[in-house]
Amino acid sequence: MTQQNQQQQQMQQAVQSAQQAQQAAQQAQQAVQSAQASATTQQLQQAQQQIQQAQQEVQQATAKSQQKNFQ
């Protein structure tokens, strides 16, 4: 595999990771909305934790893809 192909593959993987992280963030937001609708404190706390984790994953995936762009 050529270096260009390897870089292209790494970029595709970074983009896929970012997309997965965005999906996780959307699911976490939906969980927050669901918890708010049911008004249970435990569900709301869990959903907030999920959204924080998803946001971290988005940030990591974004940083990773930006690093790949500059290599």
Side-chain angles (χ1 to χ4, degrees), residues 34 40 55 62-63 66-67:
S34 175
T40 65
Q55 288 172 336
T62 300
Q66 288 175 347
Q67 287 175 348

Side-chain angles (χ1 to χ4, degrees), residues 28 30-50:
Q30 289 173 349
V32 168
Q33 291 171 350
S34 175
Q36 287 173 333
S38 65
T40 65
T41 304
Q42 183 180 7
Q43 285 178 327
L44 184 56
Q45 288 173 342
Q46 288 174 344
Q48 288 173 332
Q49 289 172 349
Q50 287 176 341

